[in-house]
PDB file of all heavy atoms in Angstrom:
ATOM      1  N   SER A 147      62.497  34.259 -51.106  1.00 93.00           N
ATOM      2  CA  SER A 147      61.495  34.869 -52.001  1.00 93.00           C
ATOM      3  C   SER A 147      61.891  36.277 -52.365  1.00 93.00           C
ATOM      4  O   SER A 147      61.786  36.693 -53.524  1.00 93.00           O
ATOM      5  CB  SER A 147      60.124  34.889 -51.352  1.00 93.00           C
ATOM      6  OG  SER A 147      59.626  33.596 -51.190  1.00 93.00           O
ATOM      7  N   TYR A 148      62.370  37.054 -51.386  1.00 90.00           N
ATOM      8  CA  TYR A 148      62.796  38.431 -51.643  1.00 90.00           C
ATOM      9  C   TYR A 148      63.973  38.461 -52.621  1.00 90.00           C
ATOM     10  O   TYR A 148      63.989  39.236 -53.562  1.00 90.00           O
ATOM     11  CB  TYR A 148      63.194  39.135 -50.322  1.00 90.00           C
ATOM     12  CG  TYR A 148      63.706  40.531 -50.544  1.00 90.00           C
ATOM     13  CD1 TYR A 148      62.832  41.581 -50.802  1.00 90.00           C
ATOM     14  CD2 TYR A 148      65.069  40.784 -50.558  1.00 90.00           C
ATOM     15  CE1 TYR A 148      63.318  42.872 -51.038  1.00 90.00           C
ATOM     16  CE2 TYR A 148      65.563  42.053 -50.779  1.00 90.00           C
ATOM     17  CZ  TYR A 148      64.690  43.086 -51.014  1.00 90.00           C
ATOM     18  OH  TYR A 148      65.164  44.337 -51.256  1.00 90.00           O
ATOM     19  N   GLU A 149      64.947  37.600 -52.391  1.00 90.00           N
ATOM     20  CA  GLU A 149      66.112  37.551 -53.277  1.00 90.00           C
ATOM     21  C   GLU A 149      65.698  37.167 -54.697  1.00 90.00           C
ATOM     22  O   GLU A 149      66.195  37.753 -55.664  1.00 90.00           O
ATOM     23  CB  GLU A 149      67.161  36.582 -52.732  1.00 90.00           C
ATOM     24  CG  GLU A 149      68.416  36.499 -53.558  1.00 90.00           C
ATOM     25  CD  GLU A 149      69.200  37.799 -53.619  1.00 90.00           C
ATOM     26  OE1 GLU A 149      69.032  38.668 -52.749  1.00 90.00           O
ATOM     27  OE2 GLU A 149      70.016  37.958 -54.561  1.00 90.00           O
ATOM     28  N   ALA A 150      64.755  36.262 -54.829  1.00 89.00           N
ATOM     29  CA  ALA A 150      64.276  35.869 -56.164  1.00 89.00           C
ATOM     30  C   ALA A 150      63.612  37.049 -56.848  1.00 89.00           C
ATOM     31  O   ALA A 150      63.799  37.293 -58.058  1.00 89.00           O
ATOM     32  CB  ALA A 150      63.302  34.700 -56.066  1.00 89.00           C
ATOM     33  N   GLN A 151      62.817  37.843 -56.096  1.00 90.00           N
ATOM     34  CA  GLN A 151      62.180  39.011 -56.687  1.00 90.00           C
ATOM     35  C   GLN A 151      63.226  40.048 -57.090  1.00 90.00           C
ATOM     36  O   GLN A 151      63.122  40.655 -58.150  1.00 90.00           O
ATOM     37  CB  GLN A 151      61.228  39.661 -55.659  1.00 90.00           C
ATOM     38  CG  GLN A 151      59.954  38.889 -55.435  1.00 90.00           C
ATOM     39  CD  GLN A 151      59.085  39.535 -54.348  1.00 90.00           C
ATOM     40  OE1 GLN A 151      59.444  40.554 -53.788  1.00 90.00           O
ATOM     41  NE2 GLN A 151      57.967  38.906 -54.088  1.00 90.00           N
ATOM     42  N   CYS A 152      64.258  40.224 -56.269  1.00 88.00           N
ATOM     43  CA  CYS A 152      65.324  41.171 -56.615  1.00 88.00           C
ATOM     44  C   CYS A 152      66.032  40.743 -57.899  1.00 88.00           C
ATOM     45  O   CYS A 152      66.289  41.585 -58.774  1.00 88.00           O
ATOM     46  CB  CYS A 152      66.320  41.276 -55.470  1.00 88.00           C
ATOM     47  SG  CYS A 152      65.728  42.191 -54.047  1.00 88.00           S
ATOM     48  N   ARG A 153      66.304  39.496 -58.020  1.00 87.00           N
ATOM     49  CA  ARG A 153      66.972  39.014 -59.200  1.00 87.00           C
ATOM     50  C   ARG A 153      66.110  39.152 -60.432  1.00 87.00           C
ATOM     51  O   ARG A 153      66.592  39.485 -61.517  1.00 87.00           O
ATOM     52  CB  ARG A 153      67.416  37.551 -59.015  1.00 87.00           C
ATOM     53  CG  ARG A 153      68.546  37.420 -58.026  1.00 87.00           C
ATOM     54  CD  ARG A 153      68.978  35.986 -57.848  1.00 87.00           C
ATOM     55  NE  ARG A 153      70.024  35.917 -56.811  1.00 87.00           N
ATOM     56  CZ  ARG A 153      70.673  34.820 -56.517  1.00 87.00           C
ATOM     57  NH1 ARG A 153      70.417  33.695 -57.179  1.00 87.00           N
ATOM     58  NH2 ARG A 153      71.614  34.818 -55.584  1.00 87.00           N
ATOM     59  N   GLN A 154      64.838  38.926 -60.273  1.00 89.00           N
ATOM     60  CA  GLN A 154      63.897  39.029 -61.406  1.00 89.00           C
ATOM     61  C   GLN A 154      63.660  40.482 -61.816  1.00 89.00           C
ATOM     62  O   GLN A 154      63.578  40.801 -62.995  1.00 89.00           O
ATOM     63  CB  GLN A 154      62.573  38.376 -61.057  1.00 89.00           C
ATOM     64  CG  GLN A 154      61.555  38.422 -62.183  1.00 89.00           C
ATOM     65  CD  GLN A 154      60.250  37.738 -61.812  1.00 89.00           C
ATOM     66  OE1 GLN A 154      60.123  37.143 -60.758  1.00 89.00           O
ATOM     67  NE2 GLN A 154      59.274  37.853 -62.702  1.00 89.00           N
ATOM     68  N   ASN A 155      63.564  41.383 -60.825  1.00 89.00           N
ATOM     69  CA  ASN A 155      63.174  42.754 -61.102  1.00 89.00           C
ATOM     70  C   ASN A 155      64.315  43.757 -60.959  1.00 89.00           C
ATOM     71  O   ASN A 155      64.104  44.968 -61.080  1.00 89.00           O
ATOM     72  CB  ASN A 155      62.039  43.160 -60.152  1.00 89.00           C
ATOM     73  CG  ASN A 155      60.820  42.297 -60.351  1.00 89.00           C
ATOM     74  OD1 ASN A 155      60.401  42.043 -61.474  1.00 89.00           O
ATOM     75  ND2 ASN A 155      60.252  41.815 -59.252  1.00 89.00           N
ATOM     76  N   GLY A 156      65.501  43.308 -60.700  1.00 87.00           N
ATOM     77  CA  GLY A 156      66.655  44.211 -60.635  1.00 87.00           C
ATOM     78  C   GLY A 156      66.981  44.738 -59.251  1.00 87.00           C
ATOM     79  O   GLY A 156      67.957  45.468 -59.097  1.00 87.00           O
ATOM     80  N   GLY A 157      66.215  44.436 -58.247  1.00 83.00           N
ATOM     81  CA  GLY A 157      66.547  44.857 -56.900  1.00 83.00           C
ATOM     82  C   GLY A 157      66.345  46.344 -56.662  1.00 83.00           C
ATOM     83  O   GLY A 157      65.720  47.036 -57.451  1.00 83.00           O
ATOM     84  N   LEU A 158      66.872  46.798 -55.563  1.00 83.00           N
ATOM     85  CA  LEU A 158      66.745  48.210 -55.193  1.00 83.00           C
ATOM     86  C   LEU A 158      67.620  49.080 -56.082  1.00 83.00           C
ATOM     87  O   LEU A 158      68.694  48.657 -56.508  1.00 83.00           O
ATOM     88  CB  LEU A 158      67.156  48.409 -53.737  1.00 83.00           C
ATOM     89  CG  LEU A 158      66.296  47.736 -52.699  1.00 83.00           C
ATOM     90  CD1 LEU A 158      66.962  47.865 -51.320  1.00 83.00           C
ATOM     91  CD2 LEU A 158      64.910  48.345 -52.669  1.00 83.00           C
ATOM     92  N   PRO A 159      67.183  50.314 -56.342  1.00 84.00           N
ATOM     93  CA  PRO A 159      68.040  51.248 -57.080  1.00 84.00           C
ATOM     94  C   PRO A 159      69.337  51.495 -56.333  1.00 84.00           C
ATOM     95  O   PRO A 159      69.409  51.424 -55.118  1.00 84.00           O
ATOM     96  CB  PRO A 159      67.184  52.525 -57.150  1.00 84.00           C
ATOM     97  CG  PRO A 159      65.789  52.119 -56.890  1.00 84.00           C
ATOM     98  CD  PRO A 159      65.878  50.900 -56.005  1.00 84.00           C
ATOM     99  N   ALA A 160      70.400  51.792 -57.077  1.00 85.00           N
ATOM    100  CA  ALA A 160      71.722  52.020 -56.488  1.00 85.00           C
ATOM    101  C   ALA A 160      71.694  53.110 -55.427  1.00 85.00           C
ATOM    102  O   ALA A 160      72.336  52.973 -54.372  1.00 85.00           O
ATOM    103  CB  ALA A 160      72.730  52.338 -57.577  1.00 85.00           C
ATOM    104  N   LYS A 161      70.975  54.201 -55.656  1.00 81.00           N
ATOM    105  CA  LYS A 161      70.892  55.272 -54.690  1.00 81.00           C
ATOM    106  C   LYS A 161      70.323  54.787 -53.365  1.00 81.00           C
ATOM    107  O   LYS A 161      70.804  55.137 -52.285  1.00 81.00           O
ATOM    108  CB  LYS A 161      69.986  56.414 -55.202  1.00 81.00           C
ATOM    109  CG  LYS A 161      70.657  57.459 -55.988  1.00 81.00           C
ATOM    110  CD  LYS A 161      69.590  58.471 -56.402  1.00 81.00           C
ATOM    111  CE  LYS A 161      70.129  59.874 -56.443  1.00 81.00           C
ATOM    112  NZ  LYS A 161      69.129  60.812 -56.959  1.00 81.00           N
ATOM    113  N   THR A 162      69.274  53.979 -53.445  1.00 83.00           N
ATOM    114  CA  THR A 162      68.633  53.458 -52.235  1.00 83.00           C
ATOM    115  C   THR A 162      69.587  52.525 -51.522  1.00 83.00           C
ATOM    116  O   THR A 162      69.703  52.582 -50.291  1.00 83.00           O
ATOM    117  CB  THR A 162      67.337  52.718 -52.603  1.00 83.00           C
ATOM    118  OG1 THR A 162      66.469  53.621 -53.298  1.00 83.00           O
ATOM    119  CG2 THR A 162      66.632  52.177 -51.364  1.00 83.00           C
ATOM    120  N   ARG A 163      70.321  51.692 -52.226  1.00 85.00           N
ATOM    121  CA  ARG A 163      71.294  50.790 -51.605  1.00 85.00           C
ATOM    122  C   ARG A 163      72.371  51.601 -50.884  1.00 85.00           C
ATOM    123  O   ARG A 163      72.790  51.253 -49.771  1.00 85.00           O
ATOM    124  CB  ARG A 163      71.915  49.857 -52.635  1.00 85.00           C
ATOM    125  CG  ARG A 163      70.967  48.760 -53.083  1.00 85.00           C
ATOM    126  CD  ARG A 163      71.678  47.636 -53.818  1.00 85.00           C
ATOM    127  NE  ARG A 163      72.574  48.060 -54.855  1.00 85.00           N
ATOM    128  CZ  ARG A 163      72.253  48.262 -56.143  1.00 85.00           C
ATOM    129  NH1 ARG A 163      71.020  48.049 -56.544  1.00 85.00           N
ATOM    130  NH2 ARG A 163      73.146  48.642 -57.024  1.00 85.00           N
ATOM    131  N   ARG A 164      72.836  52.694 -51.506  1.00 86.00           N
ATOM    132  CA  ARG A 164      73.874  53.528 -50.878  1.00 86.00           C
ATOM    133  C   ARG A 164      73.358  54.157 -49.579  1.00 86.00           C
ATOM    134  O   ARG A 164      74.050  54.183 -48.553  1.00 86.00           O
ATOM    135  CB  ARG A 164      74.362  54.603 -51.832  1.00 86.00           C
ATOM    136  CG  ARG A 164      75.313  54.091 -52.907  1.00 86.00           C
ATOM    137  CD  ARG A 164      76.001  55.199 -53.661  1.00 86.00           C
ATOM    138  NE  ARG A 164      75.081  56.072 -54.391  1.00 86.00           N
ATOM    139  CZ  ARG A 164      74.678  55.857 -55.645  1.00 86.00           C
ATOM    140  NH1 ARG A 164      75.108  54.815 -56.316  1.00 86.00           N
ATOM    141  NH2 ARG A 164      73.849  56.706 -56.233  1.00 86.00           N
ATOM    142  N   VAL A 165      72.127  54.673 -49.625  1.00 84.00           N
ATOM    143  CA  VAL A 165      71.546  55.272 -48.412  1.00 84.00           C
ATOM    144  C   VAL A 165      71.400  54.238 -47.318  1.00 84.00           C
ATOM    145  O   VAL A 165      71.763  54.481 -46.156  1.00 84.00           O
ATOM    146  CB  VAL A 165      70.199  55.958 -48.729  1.00 84.00           C
ATOM    147  CG1 VAL A 165      69.435  56.318 -47.464  1.00 84.00           C
ATOM    148  CG2 VAL A 165      70.396  57.185 -49.602  1.00 84.00           C
ATOM    149  N   LEU A 166      70.889  53.079 -47.650  1.00 86.00           N
ATOM    150  CA  LEU A 166      70.714  52.015 -46.641  1.00 86.00           C
ATOM    151  C   LEU A 166      72.064  51.572 -46.080  1.00 86.00           C
ATOM    152  O   LEU A 166      72.168  51.286 -44.882  1.00 86.00           O
ATOM    153  CB  LEU A 166      69.957  50.829 -47.242  1.00 86.00           C
ATOM    154  CG  LEU A 166      68.481  51.091 -47.583  1.00 86.00           C
ATOM    155  CD1 LEU A 166      67.897  49.913 -48.303  1.00 86.00           C
ATOM    156  CD2 LEU A 166      67.710  51.394 -46.294  1.00 86.00           C
ATOM    157  N   THR A 167      73.085  51.532 -46.902  1.00 90.00           N
ATOM    158  CA  THR A 167      74.425  51.190 -46.406  1.00 90.00           C
ATOM    159  C   THR A 167      74.919  52.221 -45.419  1.00 90.00           C
ATOM    160  O   THR A 167      75.451  51.876 -44.356  1.00 90.00           O
ATOM    161  CB  THR A 167      75.417  51.043 -47.588  1.00 90.00           C
ATOM    162  OG1 THR A 167      74.961  49.988 -48.445  1.00 90.00           O
ATOM    163  CG2 THR A 167      76.823  50.769 -47.111  1.00 90.00           C
ATOM    164  N   ARG A 168      74.729  53.495 -45.718  1.00 86.00           N
ATOM    165  CA  ARG A 168      75.159  54.553 -44.805  1.00 86.00           C
ATOM    166  C   ARG A 168      74.416  54.453 -43.464  1.00 86.00           C
ATOM    167  O   ARG A 168      75.006  54.607 -42.403  1.00 86.00           O
ATOM    168  CB  ARG A 168      74.944  55.931 -45.422  1.00 86.00           C
ATOM    169  CG  ARG A 168      75.940  56.251 -46.520  1.00 86.00           C
ATOM    170  CD  ARG A 168      76.020  57.711 -46.863  1.00 86.00           C
ATOM    171  NE  ARG A 168      74.904  58.294 -47.551  1.00 86.00           N
ATOM    172  CZ  ARG A 168      74.666  58.243 -48.882  1.00 86.00           C
ATOM    173  NH1 ARG A 168      75.466  57.607 -49.662  1.00 86.00           N
ATOM    174  NH2 ARG A 168      73.642  58.822 -49.407  1.00 86.00           N
ATOM    175  N   ILE A 169      73.130  54.158 -43.520  1.00 83.00           N
ATOM    176  CA  ILE A 169      72.337  54.003 -42.309  1.00 83.00           C
ATOM    177  C   ILE A 169      72.827  52.783 -41.504  1.00 83.00           C
ATOM    178  O   ILE A 169      73.013  52.859 -40.292  1.00 83.00           O
ATOM    179  CB  ILE A 169      70.830  53.886 -42.627  1.00 83.00           C
ATOM    180  CG1 ILE A 169      70.339  55.225 -43.189  1.00 83.00           C
ATOM    181  CG2 ILE A 169      70.030  53.493 -41.386  1.00 83.00           C
ATOM    182  CD1 ILE A 169      68.954  55.148 -43.811  1.00 83.00           C
ATOM    183  N   ALA A 170      73.080  51.690 -42.203  1.00 88.00           N
ATOM    184  CA  ALA A 170      73.577  50.465 -41.549  1.00 88.00           C
ATOM    185  C   ALA A 170      74.952  50.710 -40.911  1.00 88.00           C
ATOM    186  O   ALA A 170      75.278  50.075 -39.880  1.00 88.00           O
ATOM    187  CB  ALA A 170      73.663  49.316 -42.549  1.00 88.00           C
ATOM    188  N   GLU A 171      75.736  51.605 -41.453  1.00 90.00           N
ATOM    189  CA  GLU A 171      77.053  51.938 -40.898  1.00 90.00           C
ATOM    190  C   GLU A 171      76.962  52.906 -39.729  1.00 90.00           C
ATOM    191  O   GLU A 171      77.979  53.273 -39.150  1.00 90.00           O
ATOM    192  CB  GLU A 171      77.944  52.509 -41.991  1.00 90.00           C
ATOM    193  CG  GLU A 171      78.337  51.486 -43.025  1.00 90.00           C
ATOM    194  CD  GLU A 171      79.027  52.060 -44.255  1.00 90.00           C
ATOM    195  OE1 GLU A 171      78.989  53.310 -44.439  1.00 90.00           O
ATOM    196  OE2 GLU A 171      79.574  51.279 -45.049  1.00 90.00           O
ATOM    197  N   GLY A 172      75.742  53.349 -39.390  1.00 86.00           N
ATOM    198  CA  GLY A 172      75.546  54.189 -38.223  1.00 86.00           C
ATOM    199  C   GLY A 172      75.276  55.652 -38.504  1.00 86.00           C
ATOM    200  O   GLY A 172      75.100  56.435 -37.590  1.00 86.00           O
ATOM    201  N   GLN A 173      75.224  56.045 -39.785  1.00 78.00           N
ATOM    202  CA  GLN A 173      74.941  57.447 -40.087  1.00 78.00           C
ATOM    203  C   GLN A 173      73.444  57.720 -39.802  1.00 78.00           C
ATOM    204  O   GLN A 173      72.594  56.902 -40.121  1.00 78.00           O
ATOM    205  CB  GLN A 173      75.241  57.706 -41.573  1.00 78.00           C
ATOM    206  CG  GLN A 173      75.135  59.167 -41.962  1.00 78.00           C
ATOM    207  CD  GLN A 173      75.637  59.399 -43.390  1.00 78.00           C
ATOM    208  OE1 GLN A 173      76.172  58.516 -44.019  1.00 78.00           O
ATOM    209  NE2 GLN A 173      75.454  60.599 -43.857  1.00 78.00           N
ATOM    210  N   PRO A 174      73.130  58.849 -39.159  1.00 72.00           N
ATOM    211  CA  PRO A 174      71.738  59.156 -38.884  1.00 72.00           C
ATOM    212  C   PRO A 174      70.907  59.229 -40.169  1.00 72.00           C
ATOM    213  O   PRO A 174      71.415  59.644 -41.233  1.00 72.00           O
ATOM    214  CB  PRO A 174      71.791  60.526 -38.204  1.00 72.00           C
ATOM    215  CG  PRO A 174      73.187  60.641 -37.676  1.00 72.00           C
ATOM    216  CD  PRO A 174      74.044  59.845 -38.640  1.00 72.00           C
ATOM    217  N   VAL A 175      69.671  58.825 -40.075  1.00 67.00           N
ATOM    218  CA  VAL A 175      68.789  58.784 -41.248  1.00 67.00           C
ATOM    219  C   VAL A 175      68.706  60.158 -41.909  1.00 67.00           C
ATOM    220  O   VAL A 175      68.762  60.270 -43.127  1.00 67.00           O
ATOM    221  CB  VAL A 175      67.384  58.263 -40.849  1.00 67.00           C
ATOM    222  CG1 VAL A 175      66.416  58.391 -42.020  1.00 67.00           C
ATOM    223  CG2 VAL A 175      67.455  56.822 -40.373  1.00 67.00           C
ATOM    224  N   ALA A 176      68.585  61.198 -41.108  1.00 62.00           N
ATOM    225  CA  ALA A 176      68.406  62.556 -41.684  1.00 62.00           C
ATOM    226  C   ALA A 176      69.582  62.938 -42.555  1.00 62.00           C
ATOM    227  O   ALA A 176      69.382  63.492 -43.656  1.00 62.00           O
ATOM    228  CB  ALA A 176      68.237  63.576 -40.562  1.00 62.00           C
ATOM    229  N   SER A 177      70.807  62.640 -42.146  1.00 66.00           N
ATOM    230  CA  SER A 177      71.935  63.011 -42.979  1.00 66.00           C
ATOM    231  C   SER A 177      72.172  62.023 -44.101  1.00 66.00           C
ATOM    232  O   SER A 177      72.632  62.404 -45.172  1.00 66.00           O
ATOM    233  CB  SER A 177      73.209  63.157 -42.111  1.00 66.00           C
ATOM    234  OG  SER A 177      73.572  61.946 -41.523  1.00 66.00           O
ATOM    235  N   ALA A 178      71.806  60.765 -43.905  1.00 72.00           N
ATOM    236  CA  ALA A 178      71.968  59.770 -44.985  1.00 72.00           C
ATOM    237  C   ALA A 178      71.032  60.043 -46.141  1.00 72.00           C
ATOM    238  O   ALA A 178      71.337  59.728 -47.290  1.00 72.00           O
ATOM    239  CB  ALA A 178      71.729  58.367 -44.441  1.00 72.00           C
ATOM    240  N   THR A 179      69.895  60.657 -45.849  1.00 69.00           N
ATOM    241  CA  THR A 179      68.910  60.931 -46.904  1.00 69.00           C
ATOM    242  C   THR A 179      68.920  62.372 -47.359  1.00 69.00           C
ATOM    243  O   THR A 179      68.104  62.758 -48.195  1.00 69.00           O
ATOM    244  CB  THR A 179      67.492  60.562 -46.415  1.00 69.00           C
ATOM    245  OG1 THR A 179      67.197  61.334 -45.248  1.00 69.00           O
ATOM    246  CG2 THR A 179      67.375  59.099 -46.085  1.00 69.00           C
TER     247      THR A 179
END
């Protein structure tokens, strides 16, 4: 359902995806944002 919504509405903004990727790679939230 989430993927269908992303495809219909364009998903997360590129900036948000980059920040989430940095956090997933282990960068602290404070510095990622």
Side-chain angles (χ1 to χ4, degrees):
S147 293
Y148 177 78
E149 182 64 20
Q151 287 177 0
C152 286
R153 289 180 184 187
Q154 180 179 355
N155 300 314
L158 294 172
K161 270 180 147 176
T162 302
R163 287 195 311 271
R164 284 192 298 271
V165 167
L166 291 173
T167 298
R168 288 197 288 278
I169 293 168
E171 291 170 347
Q173 187 172 352
V175 173
S177 63
T179 59

